[in-house]
Amino acid sequence: MPEEEIFRQRKDKLMRLRQEEGYDPFQQDHWDVKHTLSYVKEHYAFLKEEEWSEDEIQTAGRVMVLRRHGKTAFATFEDENERLQLCFQFDVLGEKDYTFFKKWVDAGDFLGIVGVPFRTQRGELTLSVKKFCLLSKALRPMPEKWHGLKDMEVRYRQRYADMIANPEVRDTFRKRTKIIQTFRRVLDDHGTLEVQTPILSTIAGGANARPFITHHNTLDIDMYLRIATELHLKRLVVGMLGRVYEIGQQFRNEGMDMKHNPEFTSLEVYWPYANYKDMMDLAEEIIVACADELGGRVINYQGTEIDLTPPFRRATMTELVTEHAGIDFSAITDEEARRQAAIRGLEVKPTDTRFDILPVFFEEYVEEELIQPTFVIGHPTVISPLSKRNRENPDITDRFELFINAWEFANAFSELNDPIDQRERFMDQEKKKNEGDEESHPFDEDFVNALEYGLPPTGGMGIGIDRTVMLLTNSKSIRDVIIFPTMKPKDL
RNA sequence: GGAUCGUUAGCUCAACUGGCAGAGCACCUGACUCUUAAUCAGGGGGUUACAGGUUCGAUUCCUGUACGAUCCA
């Protein structure tokens, strides 16, 4: 049947319901839900076959499946958390109500229910319906009851249908919220203030990425959606707000795949008087808290066992490249580094130093090996424009990236607070921009100005929330943990 | 951006080598007072993603487009 026809049939039925019964399901506006279905499942589990309770339960939910047998009918009934069977009987409801039910209630409809718990001959806990109220009608058919909704495109585009058909999807998003709540709890316990900085701004800084551009009509200027919260949050530390964090969406105008959505969610946190090592402890604390919340530190992600028990391994980028690529960058000249890269077919410019090439080797040979949690430290200064230099070796920075399952989970450093150095690094980035690097960091004069007022020594960190949720909910694609993922419009 | 695969009824899927486009669920009508993928009887439902091409004939073969999935950059 073409969808339009089935839809028209349901609309006709609605009209007849209004005319013949004088009842409009869309005018119902309140129902006292005194008990959830979970409550009933929990409190009446003791009932034996054919045993009846005397209690009256008042609840509400959606009819998922109807099984009618003349003067008795069973419904699979579902609320947000649980499924329970309903039993409608002629003898219990009386002729008028039973006929109304039989004639007008369809799968997909919302019902308010007053009923008595009992267990059927076949052993299923059931509510015998004494009264019901048709609270709302479904005009479109429910997705197939047995196979459900599998088409990924429909599931992402019409998440509501996905959630009706696949209740476990609701679990994933509840876990997502639980993870974010856990992030907040740990940060709040450490006296960190949650703040909101602009999503819309005139400079998109704090990371190396292409921004989305939009336009402000009144001011007649182009504006950008933020790619990070870093520079705003550090301004707040200059302003002596103390420990601050922000959890929110970032926007990067880049490719989309299993791990990247143009809009994603991250945490950024900044602590004055702290360094990147303090951020390591915090990262471990947050991740372990989330794992504990969701049921354990040893997890299985798509068949790979990952142990999130701290402390996580700590290793320098140089060590890891030696380990996995067999080349020791601590004892190598720029020329030799370029030669080694060329041998392996890695793309390098003649001006690249060993510090430019080390991260290329890291990406090529090491990243994919970092399955168990690993803090990578010792990033070259040239790829860390906002990070403080290491005191002993100014060519590297006091920074770490945390890798789990070969994904970059967190990025943190002792923040660069030397305004003179910061200005020079921005100028370096400008130079890269002029050489055609579209992801180079824009020069943010006001940020340098803020640093000139004095930023205390500060530890800062960003953690990818979507990836954390993917890992802890065993989700294969970022689209499974973003409730309405970005989709290309389908021209109709 | 490249490669591969996919798109058939509302949903899940068939249709051999190019020969009348099918099933289950859902929907409509009827029967049925303990079913649970209820059952039984009957009925309606299709521009085979879109646009071209080859052919007597295209869901099937070819080209392009759109959207998606997977892998790679």
Side-chain angles (χ1 to χ4, degrees):
Chain A
M1 188 178 297
E3 192 168 14
E4 285 317 305
E5 204 170 322
I6 210 164
F7 185 60
R8 204 182 55 236
Q9 233 169 41
R10 285 282 181 108
K11 278 201 298 189
D12 285 350
K13 188 168 186 175
L14 175 65
M15 299 252 290
R16 282 188 284 117
L17 172 60
R18 284 168 169 156
Q19 283 165 7
E20 291 173 30
E21 306 282 345
Y23 189 87
D24 188 341
F26 296 125
Q27 288 205 339
Q28 305 308 310
D29 70 342
H30 184 261
W31 180 261
D32 253 337
V33 180
K34 293 182 182 158
H35 311 94
T36 63
L37 300 187
S38 312
Y39 173 89
V40 177
K41 281 235 158 173
E42 205 176 306
H43 287 80
Y44 297 92
F46 67 87
L47 289 173
K48 297 195 170 56
E49 277 80 29
E50 297 189 73
E51 188 183 352
W52 288 65
S53 167
E54 311 229 310
D55 303 344
E56 205 164 76
I57 294 297
Q58 185 160 333
T59 187
R62 189 196 283 273
V63 175
M64 300 306 288
V65 183
L66 268 178
R67 297 178 290 278
R68 303 182 219 234
H69 314 252
K71 291 197 167 66
T72 299
F74 293 92
T76 304
F77 196 58
E78 188 171 311
D79 69 4
E80 302 84 67
N81 293 297
E82 196 53 86
R83 283 186 158 202
L84 190 69
Q85 180 167 262
L86 301 180
C87 178
F88 297 81
Q89 284 179 295
F90 185 92
D91 293 345
V92 176
L93 279 164
E95 183 175 0
K96 186 163 169 277
D97 283 356
Y98 190 79
T99 306
F100 183 96
F101 161 77
K102 203 175 160 183
K103 199 165 174 186
W104 302 112
V105 174
D106 295 302
D109 292 355
F110 281 94
L111 296 181
I113 295 292
V114 176
V116 174
F118 76 107
R119 195 175 292 278
T120 65
Q121 286 168 14
R122 297 294 185 85
E124 174 123 6
L125 185 61
T126 302
L127 276 183
S128 173
V129 178
K130 288 172 71 178
K131 274 191 278 184
F132 69 88
C133 179
L134 178 55
L135 296 174
S136 182
K137 275 198 82 59
L139 298 182
R140 293 189 190 278
M142 294 295 102
E144 215 255 9
K145 64 183 169 189
W146 187 243
H147 299 94
L149 184 63
K150 289 184 175 172
D151 187 312
M152 291 316 284
E153 187 167 352
V154 178
R155 292 183 58 189
Y156 294 143
R157 286 185 195 278
Q158 301 181 40
R159 185 67 89 179
Y160 41 90
D162 184 26
M163 288 174 145
I164 293 169
N166 305 303
E168 69 278 8
V169 172
R170 305 198 292 244
D171 274 348
T172 298
F173 289 106
R174 291 201 175 99
K175 284 179 181 166
R176 182 185 169 103
T177 297
K178 192 157 240 178
I179 287 166
I180 292 173
Q181 285 168 342
T182 304
F183 271 61
R184 289 207 164 97
R185 195 191 69 225
V186 172
L187 291 160
D188 294 347
D189 285 352
H190 281 291
T192 315
L193 185 75
E194 180 169 18
V195 296
Q196 290 78 44
T197 66
I199 290 172
L200 198 58
S201 69
T202 49
I203 295 179
N208 297 86
R210 295 172 66 180
F212 283 92
I213 305 170
T214 184
H215 190 79
H216 189 292
N217 289 340
T218 303
L219 297 178
D220 192 24
I221 51 167
D222 281 342
M223 298 189 80
Y224 305 95
L225 300 187
R226 69 182 177 195
I227 56 173
T229 44
E230 170 143 359
L231 301 188
H232 279 112
L233 292 175
K234 280 196 265 192
R235 282 173 171 92
L236 298 180
V237 179
V238 170
M240 300 178 73
L241 206 49
R243 295 178 169 189
V244 291
Y245 75 95
E246 180 162 9
I247 290 174
Q249 272 110 315
Q250 318 295 341
F251 307 85
R252 294 188 184 176
N253 206 341
E254 295 168 349
M256 294 158 68
D257 60 32
M258 302 272 280
K259 268 165 48 199
H260 298 88
N261 194 68
E263 174 178 358
F264 63 99
T265 302
S266 69
L267 157 77
E268 283 194 38
V269 53
Y270 294 86
W271 282 4
Y273 319 116
N275 62 20
Y276 76 109
K277 288 181 180 166
D278 299 307
M279 291 296 116
M280 278 187 190
D281 296 340
L282 181 60
E284 282 177 347
E285 190 179 341
I286 289 172
I287 286 168
V288 163
C290 290
D292 287 348
E293 194 68 41
L294 265 65
R297 299 181 179 187
V298 179
I299 59 163
N300 186 303
Y301 180 81
Q302 306 285 317
T304 304
E305 189 173 280
I306 296 171
D307 187 350
L308 300 174
T309 310
F312 302 160
R313 184 186 177 196
R314 296 163 196 217
T316 67
M317 193 177 270
T318 307
E319 284 164 3
L320 287 165
V321 167
T322 306
E323 188 177 313
H324 293 282
I327 295 180
D328 184 1
F329 272 76
S330 65
I332 201 173
T333 62
D334 292 346
E335 194 182 341
E336 177 64 10
R338 284 195 294 269
R339 203 177 67 82
Q340 290 292 346
I343 290 169
R344 288 167 174 76
L346 300 174
E347 208 177 307
V348 287
K349 288 188 290 246
T351 51
D352 280 348
T353 66
R354 59 190 183 281
F355 301 109
D356 293 299
I357 295 165
L358 174 67
V360 175
F361 270 76
F362 177 78
E363 272 185 44
E364 184 71 20
Y365 297 104
V366 182
E367 270 192 26
E368 61 185 2
E369 306 292 336
L370 302 179
I371 305 299
Q372 300 304 319
T374 306
F375 287 117
V376 179
I377 57 177
H379 296 67
T381 305
V382 285
I383 59 160
S384 312
L386 301 163
S387 179
K388 193 176 262 194
R389 289 173 201 265
N390 183 269
R391 214 180 297 179
E392 278 90 43
N393 180 358
D395 289 326
I396 62 169
T397 53
D398 287 338
R399 171 182 180 185
F400 75 77
E401 286 179 296
L402 172 61
F403 282 83
I404 306 176
N405 195 41
W407 304 339
E408 185 195 333
F409 251 72
N411 184 20
F413 21 90
S414 299
E415 301 296 333
L416 174 62
N417 63 346
D418 174 348
I420 295 159
D421 192 356
Q422 182 68 72
R423 183 178 291 280
E424 278 168 13
R425 297 214 218 162
F426 276 160
M427 281 161 70
D428 258 10
Q429 293 287 316
E430 285 267 282
K431 218 173 93 191
K432 283 193 171 159
K433 183 172 209 144
N434 293 334
E435 287 166 6
D437 184 354
E438 294 193 66
E439 292 189 356
S440 67
H441 199 289
F443 200 112
D444 190 334
E445 184 63 48
D446 181 71
F447 177 68
V448 178
N449 190 56
L451 292 190
E452 285 164 357
Y453 276 89
L455 174 70
T458 297
M461 171 165 66
I463 300 184
I465 298 219
D466 305 291
R467 288 178 186 184
T468 307
V469 178
M470 284 171 71
L471 188 76
L472 295 176
T473 59
N474 195 22
S475 298
K476 224 175 150 186
S477 165
I478 192 169
R479 288 181 160 187
D480 296 326
V481 300
I482 292 179
I483 212 155
F484 293 109
T486 304
M487 296 293 279
K488 212 165 172 177
K490 226 178 169 175
D491 50 15
L492 297 168

